[in-house]
Amino acid sequence: MAAIAATFLLGTVGACGSSEEEPGGSRTILQPTTGPYVSVAVNDHFHDVHPEDDVQLAGDRSLVIKNQGSNLHNVTLVEAHIDVDLKTGEEYSIGPPLTDLLEVGKTYIFFCKYHPEAQMLGQFTVTAP
Ligand SMILES: [Cu+2]
């Protein structure tokens, strides 16, 4: 029993050590290539869906937007008639599958209608599943 407890403690210490890295530093967290693709919305910004990220999502996946900011945000995607408000802590999923509302081969831009001056927008392309 004592040995098991000691092993557990060592494991815990190791986990704490790795969390001492600076949050949001240069570390890249890779998104999975199947299942939901997650964009976290903070105040006036959607992460991981910048136009320069050139996000390509297979049509059988979903795009999940989570509001982790402190303000009310919104997801508007005109072509799909999406206009959804997200309070802090709420999330919204397009799909699965994305092809319920969107077309393969097209690039879409969505935006937060409450923060146009901040250009709070995201872009992604739907690819063949
Ligand atoms: Cu917003």
Side-chain angles (χ1 to χ4, degrees), residues 83-112:
D83 181 349
V84 178
D85 285 357
L86 291 179
K87 295 176 191 163
T88 297
E90 289 185 335
E91 64 181 58
Y92 174 69
S93 179
I94 306 173
L98 290 166
T99 50
D100 272 352
L101 293 171
L102 307 174
E103 289 179 42
V104 169
K106 285 196 172 180
T107 297
Y108 294 95
I109 290 175
F110 63 93
F111 59 91
C112 168

mmCIF file of all heavy atoms in Angstrom, residues 83-112:
data_model
loop_
_atom_site.group_PDB
_atom_site.id
_atom_site.type_symbol
_atom_site.label_atom_id
_atom_site.label_comp_id
_atom_site.label_asym_id
_atom_site.label_seq_id
_atom_site.Cartn_x
_atom_site.Cartn_y
_atom_site.Cartn_z
ATOM 1 N N ASP A 83 -27.318 32.221 -36.423
ATOM 2 C CA ASP A 83 -27.194 33.463 -35.656
ATOM 3 C C ASP A 83 -27.494 33.093 -34.210
ATOM 4 O O ASP A 83 -28.645 33.092 -33.777
ATOM 5 C CB ASP A 83 -28.177 34.504 -36.194
ATOM 6 C CG ASP A 83 -28.092 35.841 -35.449
ATOM 7 O OD1 ASP A 83 -27.438 35.905 -34.393
ATOM 8 O OD2 ASP A 83 -28.709 36.805 -35.935
ATOM 9 N N VAL A 84 -26.439 32.713 -33.485
ATOM 10 C CA VAL A 84 -26.594 32.133 -32.157
ATOM 11 C C VAL A 84 -25.803 32.936 -31.141
ATOM 12 O O VAL A 84 -24.611 33.192 -31.340
ATOM 13 C CB VAL A 84 -26.091 30.662 -32.140
ATOM 14 C CG1 VAL A 84 -26.210 30.062 -30.747
ATOM 15 C CG2 VAL A 84 -26.855 29.826 -33.156
ATOM 16 N N ASP A 85 -26.455 33.332 -30.069
ATOM 17 C CA ASP A 85 -25.758 34.010 -28.986
ATOM 18 C C ASP A 85 -25.133 32.988 -28.037
ATOM 19 O O ASP A 85 -25.727 31.941 -27.764
ATOM 20 C CB ASP A 85 -26.723 34.885 -28.185
ATOM 21 C CG ASP A 85 -27.084 36.164 -28.931
ATOM 22 O OD1 ASP A 85 -26.539 36.396 -30.024
ATOM 23 O OD2 ASP A 85 -27.932 36.919 -28.411
ATOM 24 N N LEU A 86 -23.954 33.314 -27.547
ATOM 25 C CA LEU A 86 -23.270 32.448 -26.589
ATOM 26 C C LEU A 86 -22.909 33.263 -25.351
ATOM 27 O O LEU A 86 -22.059 34.157 -25.414
ATOM 28 C CB LEU A 86 -21.983 31.873 -27.193
ATOM 29 C CG LEU A 86 -22.104 30.864 -28.323
ATOM 30 C CD1 LEU A 86 -20.714 30.441 -28.778
ATOM 31 C CD2 LEU A 86 -22.896 29.647 -27.871
ATOM 32 N N LYS A 87 -23.543 32.915 -24.250
ATOM 33 C CA LYS A 87 -23.142 33.532 -22.984
ATOM 34 C C LYS A 87 -21.858 32.861 -22.503
ATOM 35 O O LYS A 87 -21.474 31.796 -22.980
ATOM 36 C CB LYS A 87 -24.233 33.345 -21.930
ATOM 37 C CG LYS A 87 -25.533 34.072 -22.248
ATOM 38 C CD LYS A 87 -26.581 33.743 -21.208
ATOM 39 C CE LYS A 87 -27.957 34.240 -21.648
ATOM 40 N NZ LYS A 87 -29.042 33.595 -20.887
ATOM 41 N N THR A 88 -21.221 33.470 -21.525
ATOM 42 C CA THR A 88 -20.022 32.885 -20.942
ATOM 43 C C THR A 88 -20.293 31.444 -20.522
ATOM 44 O O THR A 88 -21.291 31.166 -19.856
ATOM 45 C CB THR A 88 -19.581 33.704 -19.713
ATOM 46 O OG1 THR A 88 -19.251 35.015 -20.147
ATOM 47 C CG2 THR A 88 -18.379 33.073 -19.035
ATOM 48 N N GLY A 89 -19.431 30.537 -20.967
ATOM 49 C CA GLY A 89 -19.546 29.136 -20.598
ATOM 50 C C GLY A 89 -20.404 28.321 -21.548
ATOM 51 O O GLY A 89 -20.395 27.091 -21.466
ATOM 52 N N GLU A 90 -21.103 28.979 -22.463
ATOM 53 C CA GLU A 90 -21.941 28.237 -23.411
ATOM 54 C C GLU A 90 -21.127 27.845 -24.638
ATOM 55 O O GLU A 90 -20.101 28.438 -24.945
ATOM 56 C CB GLU A 90 -23.140 29.091 -23.838
ATOM 57 C CG GLU A 90 -24.156 29.268 -22.737
ATOM 58 C CD GLU A 90 -25.407 30.017 -23.197
ATOM 59 O OE1 GLU A 90 -25.327 30.801 -24.166
ATOM 60 O OE2 GLU A 90 -26.450 29.827 -22.569
ATOM 61 N N GLU A 91 -21.627 26.843 -25.353
ATOM 62 C CA GLU A 91 -20.987 26.441 -26.592
ATOM 63 C C GLU A 91 -22.033 26.121 -27.639
ATOM 64 O O GLU A 91 -23.199 25.857 -27.320
ATOM 65 C CB GLU A 91 -20.054 25.246 -26.374
ATOM 66 C CG GLU A 91 -20.741 23.970 -25.940
ATOM 67 C CD GLU A 91 -19.730 22.839 -25.717
ATOM 68 O OE1 GLU A 91 -18.819 23.019 -24.877
ATOM 69 O OE2 GLU A 91 -19.865 21.806 -26.391
ATOM 70 N N TYR A 92 -21.599 26.157 -28.895
ATOM 71 C CA TYR A 92 -22.484 25.876 -30.016
ATOM 72 C C TYR A 92 -21.733 25.019 -31.015
ATOM 73 O O TYR A 92 -20.559 25.260 -31.299
ATOM 74 C CB TYR A 92 -22.922 27.189 -30.680
ATOM 75 C CG TYR A 92 -23.715 26.975 -31.935
ATOM 76 C CD1 TYR A 92 -25.001 26.437 -31.884
ATOM 77 C CD2 TYR A 92 -23.189 27.286 -33.187
ATOM 78 C CE1 TYR A 92 -25.730 26.223 -33.044
ATOM 79 C CE2 TYR A 92 -23.915 27.081 -34.345
ATOM 80 C CZ TYR A 92 -25.185 26.540 -34.265
ATOM 81 O OH TYR A 92 -25.898 26.327 -35.418
ATOM 82 N N SER A 93 -22.404 24.007 -31.529
ATOM 83 C CA SER A 93 -21.776 23.094 -32.477
ATOM 84 C C SER A 93 -22.471 23.162 -33.825
ATOM 85 O O SER A 93 -23.700 23.040 -33.901
ATOM 86 C CB SER A 93 -21.835 21.659 -31.924
ATOM 87 O OG SER A 93 -21.254 20.759 -32.850
ATOM 88 N N ILE A 94 -21.695 23.369 -34.874
ATOM 89 C CA ILE A 94 -22.189 23.237 -36.246
ATOM 90 C C ILE A 94 -21.899 21.792 -36.645
ATOM 91 O O ILE A 94 -20.749 21.383 -36.703
ATOM 92 C CB ILE A 94 -21.481 24.213 -37.203
ATOM 93 C CG1 ILE A 94 -21.579 25.647 -36.676
ATOM 94 C CG2 ILE A 94 -22.067 24.104 -38.604
ATOM 95 C CD1 ILE A 94 -20.753 26.645 -37.484
ATOM 96 N N GLY A 95 -22.943 21.008 -36.911
ATOM 97 C CA GLY A 95 -22.773 19.581 -37.115
ATOM 98 C C GLY A 95 -22.558 18.885 -35.780
ATOM 99 O O GLY A 95 -22.742 19.529 -34.734
ATOM 100 N N PRO A 96 -22.138 17.629 -35.780
ATOM 101 C CA PRO A 96 -21.823 16.856 -36.974
ATOM 102 C C PRO A 96 -23.091 16.321 -37.668
ATOM 103 O O PRO A 96 -24.052 16.057 -36.976
ATOM 104 C CB PRO A 96 -20.979 15.696 -36.413
ATOM 105 C CG PRO A 96 -21.503 15.487 -35.011
ATOM 106 C CD PRO A 96 -21.894 16.869 -34.553
ATOM 107 N N PRO A 97 -23.007 16.168 -38.980
ATOM 108 C CA PRO A 97 -21.892 16.578 -39.837
ATOM 109 C C PRO A 97 -22.045 18.030 -40.271
ATOM 110 O O PRO A 97 -23.158 18.558 -40.328
ATOM 111 C CB PRO A 97 -22.034 15.634 -41.039
ATOM 112 C CG PRO A 97 -23.519 15.411 -41.141
ATOM 113 C CD PRO A 97 -24.054 15.436 -39.729
ATOM 114 N N LEU A 98 -20.904 18.642 -40.592
ATOM 115 C CA LEU A 98 -20.934 20.010 -41.103
ATOM 116 C C LEU A 98 -21.809 20.113 -42.349
ATOM 117 O O LEU A 98 -22.431 21.140 -42.607
ATOM 118 C CB LEU A 98 -19.506 20.470 -41.453
ATOM 119 C CG LEU A 98 -18.567 20.716 -40.277
ATOM 120 C CD1 LEU A 98 -17.134 20.820 -40.767
ATOM 121 C CD2 LEU A 98 -18.971 21.980 -39.530
ATOM 122 N N THR A 99 -21.858 19.014 -43.104
ATOM 123 C CA THR A 99 -22.579 19.036 -44.385
ATOM 124 C C THR A 99 -24.092 19.097 -44.206
ATOM 125 O O THR A 99 -24.817 19.218 -45.191
ATOM 126 C CB THR A 99 -22.196 17.814 -45.243
ATOM 127 O OG1 THR A 99 -22.310 16.632 -44.441
ATOM 128 C CG2 THR A 99 -20.779 17.945 -45.767
ATOM 129 N N ASP A 100 -24.567 19.018 -42.953
ATOM 130 C CA ASP A 100 -26.000 19.272 -42.738
ATOM 131 C C ASP A 100 -26.357 20.694 -43.173
ATOM 132 O O ASP A 100 -27.465 20.937 -43.662
ATOM 133 C CB ASP A 100 -26.355 19.121 -41.250
ATOM 134 C CG ASP A 100 -26.717 17.688 -40.888
ATOM 135 O OD1 ASP A 100 -26.850 16.857 -41.808
ATOM 136 O OD2 ASP A 100 -26.861 17.422 -39.684
ATOM 137 N N LEU A 101 -25.424 21.617 -42.959
ATOM 138 C CA LEU A 101 -25.705 23.026 -43.242
ATOM 139 C C LEU A 101 -24.768 23.637 -44.283
ATOM 140 O O LEU A 101 -25.070 24.691 -44.833
ATOM 141 C CB LEU A 101 -25.592 23.853 -41.947
ATOM 142 C CG LEU A 101 -26.632 23.571 -40.870
ATOM 143 C CD1 LEU A 101 -26.269 24.297 -39.579
ATOM 144 C CD2 LEU A 101 -28.017 24.009 -41.341
ATOM 145 N N LEU A 102 -23.626 22.984 -44.509
ATOM 146 C CA LEU A 102 -22.585 23.591 -45.346
ATOM 147 C C LEU A 102 -22.209 22.653 -46.491
ATOM 148 O O LEU A 102 -22.510 21.461 -46.444
ATOM 149 C CB LEU A 102 -21.352 23.896 -44.474
ATOM 150 C CG LEU A 102 -21.637 24.713 -43.210
ATOM 151 C CD1 LEU A 102 -20.379 24.821 -42.361
ATOM 152 C CD2 LEU A 102 -22.168 26.096 -43.560
ATOM 153 N N GLU A 103 -21.521 23.219 -47.481
ATOM 154 C CA GLU A 103 -21.175 22.451 -48.670
ATOM 155 C C GLU A 103 -19.689 22.146 -48.730
ATOM 156 O O GLU A 103 -18.852 23.002 -48.408
ATOM 157 C CB GLU A 103 -21.561 23.235 -49.931
ATOM 158 C CG GLU A 103 -23.045 23.338 -50.173
ATOM 159 C CD GLU A 103 -23.341 24.153 -51.430
ATOM 160 O OE1 GLU A 103 -22.642 23.963 -52.450
ATOM 161 O OE2 GLU A 103 -24.258 24.987 -51.372
ATOM 162 N N VAL A 104 -19.362 20.929 -49.173
ATOM 163 C CA VAL A 104 -17.973 20.533 -49.379
ATOM 164 C C VAL A 104 -17.347 21.423 -50.446
ATOM 165 O O VAL A 104 -17.987 21.724 -51.463
ATOM 166 C CB VAL A 104 -17.899 19.048 -49.798
ATOM 167 C CG1 VAL A 104 -16.495 18.679 -50.282
ATOM 168 C CG2 VAL A 104 -18.318 18.154 -48.640
ATOM 169 N N GLY A 105 -16.117 21.853 -50.190
ATOM 170 C CA GLY A 105 -15.373 22.647 -51.162
ATOM 171 C C GLY A 105 -15.519 24.145 -50.962
ATOM 172 O O GLY A 105 -14.853 24.918 -51.651
ATOM 173 N N LYS A 106 -16.366 24.542 -50.039
ATOM 174 C CA LYS A 106 -16.562 25.978 -49.814
ATOM 175 C C LYS A 106 -15.827 26.443 -48.561
ATOM 176 O O LYS A 106 -15.671 25.694 -47.600
ATOM 177 C CB LYS A 106 -18.049 26.300 -49.669
ATOM 178 C CG LYS A 106 -18.795 26.283 -50.996
ATOM 179 C CD LYS A 106 -20.136 26.989 -50.856
ATOM 180 C CE LYS A 106 -20.817 27.163 -52.205
ATOM 181 N NZ LYS A 106 -22.112 27.852 -52.086
ATOM 182 N N THR A 107 -15.429 27.704 -48.584
ATOM 183 C CA THR A 107 -14.792 28.342 -47.433
ATOM 184 C C THR A 107 -15.803 29.287 -46.801
ATOM 185 O O THR A 107 -16.470 30.050 -47.504
ATOM 186 C CB THR A 107 -13.535 29.114 -47.872
ATOM 187 O OG1 THR A 107 -12.594 28.177 -48.419
ATOM 188 C CG2 THR A 107 -12.901 29.834 -46.692
ATOM 189 N N TYR A 108 -15.925 29.169 -45.498
ATOM 190 C CA TYR A 108 -16.929 29.957 -44.775
ATOM 191 C C TYR A 108 -16.282 30.885 -43.752
ATOM 192 O O TYR A 108 -15.268 30.541 -43.150
ATOM 193 C CB TYR A 108 -17.908 29.027 -44.048
ATOM 194 C CG TYR A 108 -18.750 28.214 -44.993
ATOM 195 C CD1 TYR A 108 -18.365 26.927 -45.352
ATOM 196 C CD2 TYR A 108 -19.923 28.730 -45.528
ATOM 197 C CE1 TYR A 108 -19.133 26.183 -46.234
ATOM 198 C CE2 TYR A 108 -20.698 27.993 -46.402
ATOM 199 C CZ TYR A 108 -20.304 26.711 -46.752
ATOM 200 O OH TYR A 108 -21.060 25.980 -47.624
ATOM 201 N N ILE A 109 -16.912 32.008 -43.573
ATOM 202 C CA ILE A 109 -16.501 32.944 -42.530
ATOM 203 C C ILE A 109 -17.677 33.125 -41.583
ATOM 204 O O ILE A 109 -18.822 33.297 -42.022
ATOM 205 C CB ILE A 109 -16.085 34.303 -43.129
ATOM 206 C CG1 ILE A 109 -14.763 34.157 -43.891
ATOM 207 C CG2 ILE A 109 -15.962 35.372 -42.039
ATOM 208 C CD1 ILE A 109 -14.337 35.405 -44.624
ATOM 209 N N PHE A 110 -17.404 33.009 -40.300
ATOM 210 C CA PHE A 110 -18.429 33.338 -39.316
ATOM 211 C C PHE A 110 -17.890 34.473 -38.449
ATOM 212 O O PHE A 110 -16.677 34.708 -38.392
ATOM 213 C CB PHE A 110 -18.817 32.118 -38.466
ATOM 214 C CG PHE A 110 -17.709 31.548 -37.622
ATOM 215 C CD1 PHE A 110 -17.546 31.956 -36.306
ATOM 216 C CD2 PHE A 110 -16.840 30.602 -38.134
ATOM 217 C CE1 PHE A 110 -16.532 31.431 -35.514
ATOM 218 C CE2 PHE A 110 -15.825 30.072 -37.355
ATOM 219 C CZ PHE A 110 -15.677 30.493 -36.047
ATOM 220 N N PHE A 111 -18.798 35.175 -37.805
ATOM 221 C CA PHE A 111 -18.355 36.320 -37.014
ATOM 222 C C PHE A 111 -19.275 36.518 -35.811
ATOM 223 O O PHE A 111 -20.365 35.950 -35.732
ATOM 224 C CB PHE A 111 -18.302 37.590 -37.869
ATOM 225 C CG PHE A 111 -19.617 37.974 -38.488
ATOM 226 C CD1 PHE A 111 -20.496 38.839 -37.833
ATOM 227 C CD2 PHE A 111 -19.983 37.452 -39.720
ATOM 228 C CE1 PHE A 111 -21.711 39.190 -38.402
ATOM 229 C CE2 PHE A 111 -21.208 37.793 -40.305
ATOM 230 C CZ PHE A 111 -22.071 38.657 -39.645
ATOM 231 N N CYS A 112 -18.794 37.335 -34.889
ATOM 232 C CA CYS A 112 -19.591 37.729 -33.733
ATOM 233 C C CYS A 112 -20.204 39.089 -34.045
ATOM 234 O O CYS A 112 -19.495 40.070 -34.248
ATOM 235 C CB CYS A 112 -18.706 37.814 -32.494
ATOM 236 S SG CYS A 112 -19.530 38.609 -31.100
#
